[in-house]
Amino acid sequence: IQIGLVTRSSGWEQLCAQEGVPYSTIDLTAQSLADECSLLIVNRILSPNEGEVVEQYLRDGGAVVGYTEHLHAVAGIEGTEQDLAYVVADHNDVFPSVHLLDLGVRGIVPRGANTLRTDANTFAVAAGPLGGGYAVVLPFDVDALLHDARSANKSFYFNRDRLPSERVSLVSKGELRQLVHGAFQYLHQVRGIPYLHLWYFPRDL
């Protein structure tokens, strides 16, 4: 397992460290991605030459995850701007741990989205084959959401008439991590690579 980042990103690096998976920043002009990366994170807009390198990586059977805007025109990826209050589970096997991810952003939903649902009850995320390889295309920028410091009053489920309420982060950071975990696991599995990561609990639990 080796995850490649197109550019340095404190948010994505934090997520990789929490997962316990090796990662490094990749020079798209100097390395053979097929030999170096089990998964490529595209976390900025690519130049035309860089887009061609990523397309070749996909043709070689590689796997990519990133925001629609950053992957624009790679292997024909397009999208539609949309306000996203949240995305919610649709009982798809790709993201079994995602329940409700609060967002409150304007994003770009990829064409061909086929999993997770927006607040408008349309698909939000595209996950599956792309250009000879595999991809998970997200309708938002993960790094920007991890650095989002907005807060909001949220109610939490409880078996009483009045739900407890608390002022917390507007963006559900824990759910975002579960989404990234699901993307990493799915993309390694479809490539036939076992996905090994840190266990989430102390040793004796």
Side-chain angles (χ1 to χ4, degrees), residues 50-68:
E50 290 172 332
E52 291 176 6
V53 172
V54 173
E55 288 182 337
Q56 182 59 55
Y57 171 63
L58 288 169
R59 285 193 292 270
D60 291 336
V64 170
V65 61
Y67 176 33
T68 310

Side-chain angles (χ1 to χ4, degrees), residues 67 81-84 104-108 139:
Y67 176 33
E81 284 196 33
Q82 185 174 329
D83 288 325
L84 301 170
V105 297
R106 186 163 182 81
I108 303 176

Side-chain angles (χ1 to χ4, degrees), residues 92 94-95 110 112-115 125-129 134-137 186-187:
N92 185 284
V94 177
F95 301 105
N114 59 358
T115 185
V125 177
Y134 297 89
V136 170
V137 186
Y186 165 74
L187 290 172

Side-chain angles (χ1 to χ4, degrees), residues 120-203:
N121 198 32
T122 57
F123 284 123
V125 177
L130 178 71
Y134 297 89
V136 170
V137 186
L138 304 171
F140 47 72
D141 183 348
V142 168
D143 190 66
L145 288 179
L146 284 172
H147 289 93
D148 192 318
R150 292 174 299 161
S151 60
N153 289 318
K154 293 185 183 180
S155 296
F156 298 89
Y157 176 77
F158 195 63
N159 58 350
R160 291 185 180 177
D161 292 338
R162 186 177 183 278
L163 299 179
S165 177
E166 188 175 349
R167 193 159 187 83
V168 296
S169 172
L170 174 61
V171 177
S172 308
K173 305 295 200 312
E175 289 286 321
L176 183 59
R177 180 185 173 185
Q178 289 298 328
L179 183 145
V180 169
H181 168 79
F184 284 4
Q185 180 169 273
Y186 165 74
L187 290 172
H188 281 88
Q189 287 180 344
V190 292
R191 293 198 66 190
I193 302 172
Y195 181 61
L196 305 177
H197 62 91
L198 286 178
W199 188 232
Y200 300 124
F201 307 103
R203 179 177 178 179

Side-chain angles (χ1 to χ4, degrees), residues 71-107:
L71 287 165
H72 178 71
V74 172
I77 292 176
E78 303 285 348
T80 304
E81 284 196 33
Q82 185 174 329
D83 288 325
L84 301 170
Y86 58 81
V87 297
V88 66
D90 67 341
H91 308 294
N92 185 284
D93 292 340
V94 177
F95 301 105
S97 299
V98 175
H99 302 291
L100 173 65
L101 170 54
D102 287 314
L103 297 168
V105 297
R106 186 163 182 81

Side-chain angles (χ1 to χ4, degrees), residues 2-7 23-41 49-50 52-58 60:
Q2 177 66 33
I3 292 180
L5 292 162
V6 168
T7 191
Y23 66 91
S24 61
T25 304
I26 298 299
D27 181 354
L28 291 179
T29 65
Q31 292 181 317
S32 172
L33 298 184
D35 296 334
E36 297 291 334
C37 298
S38 58
L39 169 64
L40 183 66
I41 296 171
N49 287 342
E50 290 172 332
E52 291 176 6
V53 172
V54 173
E55 288 182 337
Q56 182 59 55
Y57 171 63
L58 288 169
D60 291 336

